[in-house]
Amino acid sequence: MNGSEYVLEIHDVVKRFPGVLALDQVNFSLRKGTVHALMGENGAGKSTLMKCLLGVYHMDSGQISLHGEPVTILNPADAIRHGLSMIHQELNPIPKRSVCDNIWLGRELRKGIHLDQTEMMRQSRDILSRLHIKVNPAKLMGSLSVAQMQMVEIAKAVSYNAEIIIMDEPTSALTEAEIRSLFTVIEELKAANKAVIYISHKIDEIFEICDDVTVFRDGKNAGFATVKDATPQGLISMMVGRKVNNIYPKVDCPIKGPVLKVEHLSSGETFQDISFTVHKGEIFGFYGLVGAGRTEVCETLFGMREKSAGTIQLNGKNIKIKSPKDAIRHGIGMVTEDRRASGIFPVLSVLDNISIANLKKYCNRLYKINHVALRKEAIAFGDELRIKMPGYGARIMNLSGGNQQKTIVARWLMMQPDILIVDEPTRGIDVGAKAEIHSLITKLAGEGKAIIMISSEMPEVMGMSDRILVMHEGKMTGIIKRPDFTQERIMELAIK
């Protein structure tokens, strides 16, 4: 294979941050008309390399070539001029502006000195229609679901008509139908001789749509393979440097008496008449397509959303939860779906983010915090989850998305709640970390904790749950026990 077949070549890239060698002599090549998967554990250097490619970071050394010619990309606007666009894993929409405004931000069409709003709206409708995205371009971005915002970001990246499109975990918030639409678009891009860099932890996706795969580990190249010659276990071994035998380590824990009983819970038009009971030692799954109301039910249990009807009982007693503070006081913790919007405190350190929900536990009667004990336990939980960072004093905003997620999980594990709600706990997390988080969830259940787990991944919710409550358009359509789990039965209830 000669160099002319490559649209992009990256040679010997080095990038350092204070205390961290993020990229160590990294190499990567992308062929025209192909989809090239970029895999690795969180913190392996995938996103850092892409930011160097887009001019967000400046490399300490190395060379980037496009069509065989060395280039220097100064900033993201320069990257677009060189034919590069990216769908970011962490969404950064402007919520108070329309979908159309978000798509055309920074490259607005003009008629004379005025914005050509009519033409931008027309082209927005065309691109959304082509991608089968059912979103009104006049709607405010802030009114959309996470999945809808993700699809708008995909539409925006495709609208640049770039030669190279980087997709960072593009399906993490999408329904199966939306994933199919995205894969159709990817095939169209390949047919037009465009090239796609596809960053994903979902191995089934890699084998379905990718041609080549490069694996990073600890900021270095760990391996390359053509997908037709690769195996799932081989890729996992390259990623983590070890075998991961059981991603869903569900064990049968003794399920004891009921701890949480919800009856006829409703929240306006969002969801209605939801009833269920969760027992000590049980992992109770929630499944449904986007818009089903799963997250909203759990946000109501955690005091993030107001209920309009129904009762919540804890250990047989009715309780009122009007805020997350009330929920925490009652021994309920929650790992939220959108870590950036409602999970992390970006300017605080990793240590502060782990310990912030646990300060009261380390206060004496005079409200003086025992910082030594607090730090020791916070670090113990952080170490258990193998959070990759320069140190516990580093700002969490500078960590990769997956390591931010691990930090939030560590926060609630440290709290040792009686009930832990985990909403998409492994979204954007590599396969090795998934197994670790699943093991910790199973361990908590084995200690008699009640776990409520929301997941859009059918294998995850089936692999981890004792029972699954299925929802469709704000209504509960059934509860299935583990012996009766089948994908067909769950999906039948999800589209009922």
Side-chain angles (χ1 to χ4, degrees), residues 347-416:
V347 299
L348 297 184
S349 68
V350 175
L351 182 68
D352 289 339
N353 270 273
I354 295 175
S355 59
I356 200 161
N358 301 280
L359 297 177
K360 192 173 180 181
K361 192 165 112 180
Y362 294 89
C363 284
N364 61 20
R365 292 179 182 179
L366 299 175
Y367 294 98
K368 185 178 180 181
I369 298 172
N370 184 341
H371 288 285
V372 174
L374 178 66
R375 178 183 175 83
K376 182 179 178 181
E377 189 164 353
I379 288 175
F381 280 98
D383 288 349
E384 189 170 4
L385 280 168
R386 297 193 308 125
I387 302 169
K388 290 185 179 177
M389 58 191 158
Y392 281 92
R395 287 186 177 184
I396 193 172
M397 63 190 289
N398 296 325
L399 270 58
S400 68
N403 283 298
Q404 290 177 1
Q405 184 79 337
K406 285 185 181 182
T407 302
I408 298 167
V409 172
R411 174 193 303 164
W412 296 112
L413 292 178
M414 181 179 173
M415 178 186 156
Q416 290 288 302

Side-chain angles (χ1 to χ4, degrees), residues 67-80:
H67 303 290
E69 295 294 327
V71 296
T72 300
I73 298 173
L74 302 174
N75 53 49
D78 197 26
I80 291 169

Side-chain angles (χ1 to χ4, degrees), residues 190-245:
K190 285 177 64 175
N193 216 26
K194 309 289 187 185
V196 176
I197 300 173
Y198 196 88
I199 302 172
S200 179
H201 297 304
K202 297 181 179 179
I203 289 181
D204 56 334
E205 293 181 358
I206 303 301
F207 281 90
E208 181 171 354
I209 62 165
C210 295
D211 302 289
D212 301 320
V213 55
T214 292
V215 180
F216 285 0
R217 186 170 70 245
D218 297 329
K220 299 178 182 178
N221 287 89
F224 167 85
T226 58
V227 169
K228 63 182 176 61
D229 296 327
T231 65
Q233 190 58 48
L235 293 180
I236 292 170
S237 295
M238 274 196 276
M239 283 173 61
V240 301
R242 63 188 187 279
K243 289 188 176 181
V244 179
N245 297 317

Side-chain angles (χ1 to χ4, degrees), residues 110-115:
R110 293 184 178 274
K111 185 182 285 185
I113 62 170
H114 300 290
L115 294 180

Side-chain angles (χ1 to χ4, degrees), residues 13 15 25 116 131 341 377 381 413 493:
V13 169
K15 178 60 182 175
Q25 301 288 322
D116 193 347
L131 297 176
E377 189 164 353
F381 280 98
L413 292 178
L493 292 172

Side-chain angles (χ1 to χ4, degrees), residues 27 36 48 81 201 223 270 330 385 400 407 429:
N27 295 283
H36 194 133
T48 301
R81 287 191 290 271
H201 297 304
T270 309
H330 285 297
L385 280 168
S400 68
T407 302
I429 285 184

Side-chain angles (χ1 to χ4, degrees), residues 59 176 221 231 312 322 336 365 416 440 446:
M59 331 179 272
E176 186 60 34
N221 287 89
T231 65
I312 302 170
K322 294 184 177 180
T336 56
R365 292 179 182 179
Q416 290 288 302
L440 286 165

Side-chain angles (χ1 to χ4, degrees), residues 36-146:
H36 194 133
L38 184 53
M39 301 184 72
E41 292 192 274
N42 296 116
K46 308 182 300 293
S47 295
T48 301
L49 181 63
M50 293 303 100
K51 287 177 180 177
C52 289
L53 177 59
L54 293 170
V56 177
Y57 295 154
H58 295 288
M59 331 179 272
D60 294 311
S61 63
Q63 180 66 61
I64 294 172
S65 297
L66 294 172
H67 303 290
E69 295 294 327
V71 296
T72 300
I73 298 173
L74 302 174
N75 53 49
D78 197 26
I80 291 169
R81 287 191 290 271
H82 279 92
L84 297 156
S85 69
M86 182 168 181
I87 301 161
H88 294 273
Q89 179 187 359
E90 302 293 351
L91 302 178
N92 287 294
I94 301 177
K96 298 298 184 182
R97 302 301 295 269
S98 70
V99 168
C100 177
D101 289 342
N102 273 266
I103 290 175
W104 291 97
L105 184 68
R107 56 190 179 114
E108 293 82 357
L109 301 180
R110 293 184 178 274
K111 185 182 285 185
I113 62 170
H114 300 290
L115 294 180
D116 193 347
Q117 201 69 46
T118 301
E119 180 61 17
M120 287 191 291
M121 192 66 73
R122 185 192 70 77
Q123 290 194 32
S124 296
R125 286 196 178 93
D126 285 349
I127 187 69
L128 292 168
S129 175
R130 176 185 157 201
L131 297 176
H132 310 289
I133 302 171
K134 296 177 182 178
V135 171
N136 183 346
K139 285 191 74 173
L140 292 179
M141 278 291 282
S143 68
L144 305 184
S145 68
V146 173

